[in-house]
Amino acid sequence: MNIPTIEVGIMSAKSIDFQLNGRFLQATGEETVNGNGTATVTGDSSFILHLGDKQQTFDEFVLLEPVNEEEANFELHHVIIGVQFHWEREETQRFKGKLKIYVENGMLTAVNILSVEDYLLSVISSEMSATSSLELLKAHAVISRSWLLAQIEKGKQLKDANYKTLIRNEEGYIRWYDREDHSRFDVCADDHCQRYQGITKVSAPQVYEALKATSGEVLLYDNKICDARFYKCCGGVTEKFEHVWEPVVHPYLTQVIDNEIIPVGYNTGLTDEKNARAWILGNPPAFCNTHDHEVLSQVLNDYDQETQDFYRWQITLTQAEIKDLLLRKVGIDVGDVLDLIPVERGVSGRLIRLKIVGSKGEITIGKELEIRKSLSESHLYSSAFVVEKVSDSFVLKGAGWGHGVGLCQIGAAIMSAKGYPHREILMHYFPQAEIKKIY
Ligand SMILES: [Zn+2]
Ligand SMILES: [Zn+2]
């Protein structure tokens, strides 16, 4: 098998400014082009491209291909990163490979087409610090590669399947978010898929070494590439796939106690409200229960290091704030919020369904990301929380950071620091999977 290519959606805007550094070929022409370019939307399905001293109109897309991949690159200006996160910002980013700009519904989208291994070099360099240990980087290389190839495969299947991610009925508002949002490219460049900044940052020799050492290595289950997920911190226990996304069972994405032994004094049957409460309000030992700055700096970017309390956290929301959030973010008016009642929890204690009782009525929301988005301007750290009512406010006491399915990055960093090799780290978080080289 050859190294596959991937199409990454970088940005969408009415106008896109870019710069070609080196010689590029326009798919339709033989003349090479370079320098500054601007694509501007002119209608629902047309745009003008100014490039050098030329001006052309396109109906569908333009593809710009470097003559020599190793020598040429391109820059995109005003790329927004951290969309809807507290650290949202704009920057110029540089990319290797091809640039495709297409128009759809009066919007332009810039797509970068490149080899999977080049993409991984960038993604892992952006996600992880250059100081990360080699075994952690190797583990990350294998899951990022597996996840990516699994998404490309899944994307192909979804195109003709009747794929639903929203159920709205008398019972409530149950929604999950997944790749179905991208029909014109394989993955986006933000945290929704995997954070990708092209070759803006110089990739670390360690990352290159980890990729080379694991080239073509993926996780397999039942001879299929695993949908290997990861996130920042599980909170002590990992979650099942079907509790967060579509109701499909992946036996390798299941409950894993993120510790060498089952923590003494706790019952890890966390779908039970009483056990979940004791777990979330407690401080059980776990690989990811750490404040080790040196290890944390290996997995968290500068802006993520602003977050200190991720293993156990707490926020307070007033009744009025929740009412306002629900109205704006979910479009639901339940009146004054009287109670938040856990209805169903997953195996990590994360809420899958939460009932909101208001003066005008009640609604049940889910799944975990919908709950996190509904009760916060951006996202709650996780949906593993318990609710305490204090006069006209609700105190949410929570555990973990992220969806909790698959590899716990902070836990894996600690495992690596303790000397676990990458295969053991992977087998810990993806029980029943096997590691195999496919190219
Ligand atoms: Zn995405
Ligand atoms: Zn963990």
Side-chain angles (χ1 to χ4, degrees), residues 231-238 258 286-289 311 408 410-411 429:
Y231 52 88
K232 298 285 189 300
C233 169
C234 67
V237 172
T238 72
D258 197 16
F287 288 124
C288 56
N289 184 356
Y311 190 70
C408 169
I410 291 169
Y429 291 109

Side-chain angles (χ1 to χ4, degrees), residues 146-356:
S146 306
W147 177 85
L148 190 64
L149 296 174
Q151 294 322 300
I152 297 174
E153 202 41 52
K154 194 168 159 184
K156 281 183 206 149
Q157 289 163 8
L158 287 182
K159 273 175 191 143
D160 25 57
N162 187 8
Y163 187 78
K164 250 203 231 154
T165 61
L166 172 66
I167 303 167
R168 192 168 203 162
N169 56 22
E170 59 287 343
E171 195 212 349
Y173 189 74
I174 308 300
R175 176 165 203 198
W176 60 94
Y177 296 80
D178 215 349
R179 308 288 91 67
E180 84 285 354
D181 330 29
H182 309 320
S183 54
R184 302 287 296 261
F185 45 84
D186 299 313
V187 290
C188 71
D190 223 307
D191 280 19
H192 172 263
C193 290
Q194 287 196 101
R195 194 179 297 167
Y196 170 64
Q197 297 164 280
I199 50 170
T200 312
K201 284 186 180 178
V202 180
S203 49
Q206 285 272 86
V207 176
Y208 183 75
E209 199 182 328
L211 275 167
K212 223 175 95 188
T214 64
S215 180
E217 238 179 56
V218 293
L219 286 167
L220 288 184
Y221 177 80
D222 203 11
N223 267 324
K224 283 204 334 231
I225 297 174
C226 292
D227 194 349
R229 308 274 168 143
F230 66 91
Y231 52 88
K232 298 285 189 300
C233 169
C234 67
V237 172
T238 72
E239 190 50 78
K240 287 186 176 182
F241 178 90
E242 62 270 35
H243 290 159
V244 173
W245 293 288
E246 68 269 25
V248 174
V249 176
H250 296 295
Y252 55 87
L253 296 175
T254 186
Q255 189 193 45
V256 172
I257 310 297
D258 197 16
N259 198 35
E260 270 147 355
I261 54 156
I262 294 175
V264 178
Y266 292 95
N267 185 328
T268 52
L270 302 181
T271 55
D272 176 85
E273 189 60 28
K274 199 168 106 269
N275 296 342
R277 219 182 149 74
W279 179 262
I280 293 166
L281 295 177
N283 188 26
F287 288 124
C288 56
N289 184 356
T290 182
H291 283 100
D292 186 329
H293 282 286
E294 206 184 313
V295 175
L296 289 175
S297 68
Q298 294 186 14
V299 272
L300 302 180
N301 265 305
D302 293 347
Y303 29 81
D304 285 335
Q305 282 179 51
E306 290 162 19
T307 302
Q308 293 289 325
D309 303 320
F310 49 81
Y311 190 70
R312 291 295 179 268
W313 49 262
Q314 180 174 328
I315 64 151
T316 302
L317 293 166
T318 64
Q319 280 181 315
E321 280 169 338
I322 298 177
K323 182 183 176 181
D324 173 59
L325 283 167
L326 289 174
L327 207 54
R328 280 190 295 118
K329 303 198 69 181
V330 196
I332 290 169
D333 182 11
V334 291
D336 292 324
V337 178
L338 306 174
D339 210 353
L340 302 174
I341 304 170
V343 178
E344 187 187 358
R345 289 189 189 269
V347 293
S348 71
R350 280 171 175 76
L351 282 166
I352 302 167
R353 289 191 294 152
L354 175 72
K355 188 196 273 185
I356 299 167

